[in-house]
Amino acid sequence: MGGGALTPHRLEESTGTNGTKEEDKSQQEHEWKQRGGEHKRHDAYAAAHGQSQKQANGDHKAEAIEYEKLLEKYTPQEIALLRSLQHKRDYISDLQQDDGKRQSLQERNRTQISIDEADQFSPDNWLPRSSDLIRLTGKHPLNAEPHLSHLLAAGLITPNELNYVRNHGAVPRLLWNFHQLDIENGKLYISMEELINRFDWINIPIALACDGNRRKGLNTIKKLKGFNWCPGAVSCAFWEGPLLRDVLIVASVQEQLPQGKRFWVNFEGADEPSEDNLRDEQCTDNKVLPSFVTGKDGEFAETLFRHLHPAFNEQNLNSVIVKPANGETVPLTEAREDKTYTIEGYAYDGGGHEVQRVELSLDDGETWLYCIPKPGGALSNILDCIPLGEQMKIRGPTGEIVYNGFGKFTIEDQEHTVERVSLVLGGSGITPGFSLIARIMLTKGDNTELRVIDANKSERDILLRDALDNFEKTHQGQIKITHVLNPPSEDWRGLKGHVNADIVKSNLFKPEDKTAVFLCGPPTMIQKAALPALKDWGYVEDENMFGF
């Protein structure tokens, strides 16, 4: 097994016939490359032009216009790559360092688990399991995987009962109160309670995948050695516990080991595999051996097993198509120019490496299409793990900032009176800001002035835009709203780029008496852009500058 990064990817395809356009007398480089066949256009993209015209209404109109303009310069494959790069750029910029103190997003089973009928007459007849797992090697020992569609639908964090299982024997029946960790053959024993109370713990998400994942599919192309494992042997879960380093130090292992010598930690489990399984794993697991080494014994097998170079310590990039499912059919009535079909799957890489990109071919490798990573922020990933019909608790408002009307605030039990309010909002951060805006605008006689910066990625991301525009139109200068987009469409006439000091100073009130500013938005925007600019301008936290 190996660790990796689990990344769902999706790609939208459609069918139809591509339109043509007249040759221009003067051609740009990208145009004559396309006409000369240097950039292949796959027929799967052919309906993109016509489809964007038919769907150009409502929120899709701006997107369709933007796509049409991009088509003048780039192939659909290049546009897909561009969007993937833009998504990756925005995703990376919003990443935060994981301190290992977060809670797991999956704290209980989604479905009922019980003693499976298949385990009734096996040594594992005490262990509750999901009956939905696909058993691949018979009843015992259990080697199983979830259905691919269930795995993908579960989201980025795999529910406990859908984690894949690999066993070479019976699951050891251990008791928490009596089980101990034996370090260096009795040099130190640590109980489970000691592990909890004696050490600092971390809790981080880790993706694990069987080294033989997808081997059944690969065997249909070229026969390989080993069992026909299916493509569902990958799980991403939160793993909690103390650092191995801290435990070894308590066992008197030197923190700084001598140089020029190789060291490793040997882990031994409490399970007892059969002799056949033990010998097989020792000789072949995690090794890349020459084809002439056909046996498990002999000088070559013994030498290569203990040799450094054949060791396979990191998994390669792997990807799996989940939709369309094996044997799935698409009615011909759905194969129309105005219809699309979304191909979905997942990808992971070993050694903690990032999945750089995934490509898909529909014509045996003649042309390749870029797959678009499934977008999702922190809250989106949490909601992605919650099944339909499940309840969730939402906390707020906390009551730390209360607007009493007519410029009077109660902020952490302190009274503040202002005449001018500035707001720096980003994305869904408009939520508390809009509550304040609406309260002031809809209260007769409340003349508190408002200046608002609302930052988003695109025009279709601007929440409550119609209501904001109406407030600005009907209140004759009492409120001024500045929208900032990054990256905007070419038709956007407003401000572009990230929020910076110039945008702040040009569109908000100066830090004067009876003036306050409130902020709510992505941490990167607030902490790295808005806060430094406001502080340099003269605003002071908890005096005239507050975060919702």
Side-chain angles (χ1 to χ4, degrees):
M1 299 171 70
L6 183 63
T7 306
H9 282 70
R10 65 171 53 185
L11 180 67
E12 292 191 358
E13 300 299 338
S14 58
T15 59
T17 305
N18 204 13
T20 59
K21 53 185 180 181
E22 296 181 359
E23 296 278 355
D24 296 328
K25 292 182 179 180
S26 60
Q27 296 180 346
Q28 299 296 323
E29 180 182 7
H30 61 271
E31 296 174 319
W32 59 256
K33 278 186 177 182
Q34 290 174 0
R35 288 164 172 76
E38 186 165 335
H39 296 314
K40 293 185 178 180
R41 287 178 180 264
H42 194 286
D43 287 342
Y45 283 114
H49 179 84
Q51 179 185 342
S52 62
Q53 293 294 329
K54 293 181 179 181
Q55 294 183 344
N57 55 71
D59 292 338
H60 298 289
K61 186 174 182 179
E63 183 179 2
I65 294 175
E66 179 186 2
Y67 189 79
E68 289 290 347
K69 291 188 175 182
L70 289 174
L71 275 176
E72 296 175 2
K73 295 182 179 180
Y74 308 112
T75 66
Q77 295 96 319
E78 291 169 335
I79 296 174
L81 174 61
L82 176 63
R83 287 176 171 172
S84 177
L85 293 172
Q86 290 171 339
H87 165 75
K88 183 64 68 66
R89 176 200 61 198
D90 297 336
Y91 174 75
I92 294 297
S93 66
D94 290 336
L95 281 180
Q96 301 180 39
Q97 184 173 353
D98 190 348
D99 59 4
K101 302 301 181 183
R102 300 180 181 182
Q103 293 296 314
S104 172
L105 304 181
Q106 294 283 4
E107 295 185 344
R108 61 183 179 85
N109 295 320
R110 285 184 170 189
T111 58
Q112 182 68 35
I113 63 172
S114 58
I115 307 298
D116 198 310
E117 183 178 352
D119 290 326
Q120 285 186 1
F121 301 102
S122 78
D124 293 340
N125 59 6
W126 59 275
L127 185 61
R129 286 169 170 153
S130 172
S131 59
D132 195 39
L133 293 175
I134 304 172
R135 293 179 179 246
L136 303 174
T137 57
K139 292 185 176 181
H140 183 80
L142 177 67
N143 290 278
E145 302 171 9
H147 294 271
L148 270 180
S149 58
H150 298 174
L151 181 63
L152 186 69
L156 292 177
I157 305 301
T158 310
N160 288 340
E161 72 271 27
L162 292 186
N163 278 257
Y164 76 95
V165 182
R166 291 291 184 264
N167 282 314
H168 294 283
V171 177
R173 192 167 187 175
L174 307 177
L175 298 178
W176 178 269
N177 292 334
F178 299 101
H179 184 63
Q180 292 182 315
L181 184 65
D182 181 355
I183 303 176
E184 299 250 286
N185 295 320
K187 188 174 183 179
L188 176 66
Y189 289 100
I190 299 179
S191 68
M192 298 298 98
E193 289 295 331
E194 285 183 283
L195 281 177
I196 290 179
N197 300 319
R198 188 171 180 177
F199 301 95
D200 187 26
W201 281 44
I202 63 169
N203 190 26
I204 56 176
I206 298 175
L208 296 178
C210 174
D211 282 335
N213 194 32
R214 269 189 72 204
R215 189 183 290 153
K216 182 177 181 179
L218 297 175
N219 278 339
T220 62
I221 300 174
K222 183 179 180 180
K223 183 64 178 176
L224 305 171
K225 290 185 177 181
F227 185 77
N228 280 335
W229 298 116
C230 294
V234 57
S235 306
C236 187
F238 276 78
W239 293 77
E240 188 175 17
L243 295 174
L244 175 63
R245 165 193 173 276
D246 296 342
V247 176
L248 293 178
I249 290 176
V250 171
S252 301
V253 176
Q254 299 180 32
E255 187 170 1
Q256 297 295 330
L257 298 175
Q259 298 294 320
K261 193 175 181 180
R262 295 181 183 274
F263 295 88
W264 68 91
V265 177
N266 181 54
F267 292 90
E268 181 178 349
D271 50 335
E272 297 180 358
S274 66
E275 183 64 22
D276 290 339
N277 277 323
L278 181 61
R279 294 176 70 251
D280 179 69
E281 291 303 309
Q282 286 180 337
C283 289
T284 61
D285 250 22
N286 299 326
K287 296 289 182 292
V288 179
L289 304 178
S291 59
F292 63 81
V293 182
T294 58
K296 299 187 177 82
D297 298 315
E299 289 77 8
F300 272 109
E302 177 66 19
T303 301
L304 289 173
F305 173 71
R306 300 182 182 279
H307 204 280
L308 173 65
H309 295 300
F312 189 67
N313 293 322
E314 291 186 2
Q315 293 185 336
N316 291 326
L317 175 67
N318 207 347
S319 58
V320 173
I321 295 176
V322 179
K323 180 186 177 184
N326 187 28
E328 179 181 341
T329 59
V330 179
L332 288 176
T333 54
E334 295 297 315
R336 306 198 310 267
E337 184 179 357
D338 60 340
K339 289 287 187 177
T340 63
Y341 185 92
T342 302
I343 299 174
E344 296 182 273
Y346 70 83
Y348 61 89
D349 205 351
H353 302 300
E354 181 186 3
V355 176
Q356 296 292 335
R357 72 175 186 268
V358 175
E359 297 177 351
L360 174 71
S361 178
L362 302 179
D363 51 14
D364 294 327
E366 288 294 323
T367 58
W368 291 88
L369 314 174
Y370 293 100
C371 300
I372 308 301
K374 181 179 178 181
L379 181 58
S380 299
N381 289 334
I382 293 174
L383 294 176
D384 190 42
C385 297
I386 300 177
L388 292 175
E390 192 68 40
Q391 294 184 350
M392 61 179 295
K393 293 182 179 180
I394 299 177
R395 186 178 67 176
T398 60
E400 294 178 354
I401 299 177
V402 177
Y403 184 64
N404 302 308
F406 303 96
K408 297 180 180 180
F409 289 86
T410 301
I411 303 175
E412 295 183 349
D413 299 327
Q414 298 294 320
E415 302 298 326
H416 298 264
T417 301
V418 301
E419 297 176 355
R420 294 167 295 275
V421 172
S422 294
L423 297 172
V424 181
L425 311 171
S428 59
I430 187 69
T431 307
F434 184 80
S435 298
L436 177 60
I437 293 171
R439 174 72 183 279
I440 295 174
M441 295 293 98
L442 298 176
T443 300
K444 187 176 181 179
D446 192 335
N447 298 317
T448 306
E449 295 184 75
L450 289 164
R451 295 294 181 267
V452 182
I453 292 177
D454 183 25
N456 292 279
K457 292 182 179 180
S458 65
E459 289 183 68
R460 63 178 178 270
D461 294 324
I462 301 176
L463 302 175
L464 300 167
R465 185 176 184 180
D466 291 342
L468 292 171
D469 290 345
N470 183 62
F471 284 143
E472 190 172 23
K473 181 180 179 180
T474 58
H475 283 76
Q476 302 177 353
Q478 184 181 357
I479 179 174
K480 180 181 178 182
I481 302 171
T482 302
H483 295 289
V484 183
L485 299 186
N486 183 50
S489 67
E490 294 183 3
D491 295 331
W492 178 248
R493 296 294 178 261
L495 295 181
K496 306 175 182 180
H498 295 289
V499 174
N500 55 38
D502 292 336
I503 291 176
V504 167
K505 292 180 180 179
S506 300
N507 298 281
L508 300 181
F509 292 116
K510 295 180 180 179
E512 300 174 335
D513 186 39
K514 293 190 176 182
T515 300
V517 61
F518 297 86
L519 306 92
C520 188
T524 301
M525 183 192 85
I526 300 299
Q527 297 171 7
K528 295 186 178 181
L531 275 177
L534 291 167
K535 287 180 179 179
D536 290 342
W537 199 13
Y539 278 100
V540 179
E541 284 190 77
D542 297 328
E543 290 186 11
N544 56 3
M545 181 168 59
F546 309 93
F548 281 114

